[in-house]
């Protein structure tokens, strides 16, 4: 008993309704985290090297991820697709050396990270999808002299005279 209340008074209908609401909210949050979260997949037609083996870019390819519309891929093209959920399918069509259309069976895969990249040349070559997809980490390129206080202090100040040169006229 808590402060003179019986167990029947503590565990009344209101308690179970509140407990049920809390459980539903937690379940909804977990569901939305895994299935409502938006992820980015970059479909890539660049030459790549996987496990020491080189795969040359495709001369032409057409890919469709999750029935979101087909996209054409020329050599060295990368396109991003916004997806929800973790399990997806990709269908690929390409041409062989004799310009015959080759359509691969739909390939199912899971995204390993929020931003992933998948290689079309490696998929067409027959590699397992787990080896063709990896986390996409954008490169950070630092430009010397930009954004650092030491570089800003050493930076030369350009005046009007320096920009236009000596504009005096001697007669």
């Amino acid at each position: 008993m808590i402060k003179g209340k019986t167990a029947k008074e503590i565990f009344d209908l209101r308690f179970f309704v509140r407990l049920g609401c809390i459980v539903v909210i937690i379940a909804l949050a977990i569901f939305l985290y895994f299935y409502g979260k938006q992820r980015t997949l970059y479909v890539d037609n660049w030459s790549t090297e996987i496990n020491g083996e080189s795969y040359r870019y495709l001369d032409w390819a057409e890919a469709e991820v999750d029935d979101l519309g087909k996209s054409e891929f020329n050599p060295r093209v990368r396109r991003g697709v916004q997806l929800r959920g973790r399990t997806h399918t990709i269908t690929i069509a390409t041409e062989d050396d004799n310009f015959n259309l080759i359509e691969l069976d739909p390939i199912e895969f899971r995204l390993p990270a929020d931003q992933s990249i998948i290689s079309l040349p490696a998929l067409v070559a027959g590699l397992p999808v787990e080896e063709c997809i990896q986390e996409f980490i954008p490169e950070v390129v630092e430009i010397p002299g930009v954004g650092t206080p030491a570089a800003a202090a050493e930076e030369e100040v350009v005046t009007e005279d320096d920009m236009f040169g000596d504009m005096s006229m001697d007669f």
Side-chain angles (χ1 to χ4, degrees):
M1 275 201 298
I2 299 174
K3 294 184 184 178
K5 292 188 177 182
T6 64
K8 188 175 184 180
E9 291 173 342
I10 294 172
F11 296 107
D12 61 350
L13 183 60
R14 275 191 317 200
F15 172 79
F16 289 109
V17 169
R18 289 177 182 162
L19 183 65
C21 288
I22 292 171
V23 169
V24 167
I25 289 172
I26 291 173
L28 182 65
I30 292 170
F31 174 79
L32 289 177
Y33 177 77
F34 286 109
Y35 296 102
K37 189 173 185 181
Q38 187 170 348
R39 293 176 171 82
T40 303
L41 174 69
Y42 294 100
V43 182
D44 181 66
N45 188 17
W46 288 57
S47 296
T48 187
E49 186 173 320
I50 298 174
N51 297 332
E53 184 92 20
S54 293
Y55 299 95
R56 185 179 169 269
Y57 57 81
L58 304 171
D59 292 327
W60 175 86
E62 190 175 67
E64 182 178 23
V65 180
D66 285 348
D67 300 324
L68 293 176
K70 295 182 179 183
S71 297
E72 262 189 47
F73 291 88
N74 292 320
R76 293 180 288 282
V77 170
R78 177 182 295 160
R79 291 200 172 94
V81 180
Q82 301 295 325
L83 303 172
R84 293 194 188 276
R86 290 206 105 153
T87 305
H88 306 283
T89 58
I90 186 169
T91 55
I92 303 169
T94 188
E95 293 177 343
D96 63 4
D97 294 334
N98 298 327
F99 300 105
N100 296 324
L101 186 65
I102 301 170
E103 292 188 18
L104 276 65
D105 293 331
I107 301 168
E108 252 189 52
F109 61 93
R110 288 181 57 108
L111 293 177
D114 289 344
Q115 288 190 342
S116 302
I117 188 167
I118 191 165
S119 174
L120 289 179
L123 282 173
V124 171
L127 254 65
V129 71
E130 294 81 22
E131 294 180 21
C132 299
I133 191 167
Q134 58 190 0
E135 182 177 359
F136 179 73
I137 302 170
E139 289 184 26
V140 177
V141 178
E142 291 187 26
I143 301 171
V146 176
T148 60
E154 296 172 12
E155 195 173 305
E156 188 177 322
V157 178
V158 179
T159 63
E160 245 182 59
D161 293 335
D162 295 336
M163 285 186 355
F164 299 112
D166 186 13
M167 296 186 67
S168 63
M169 300 172 125
D170 291 332
F171 293 104

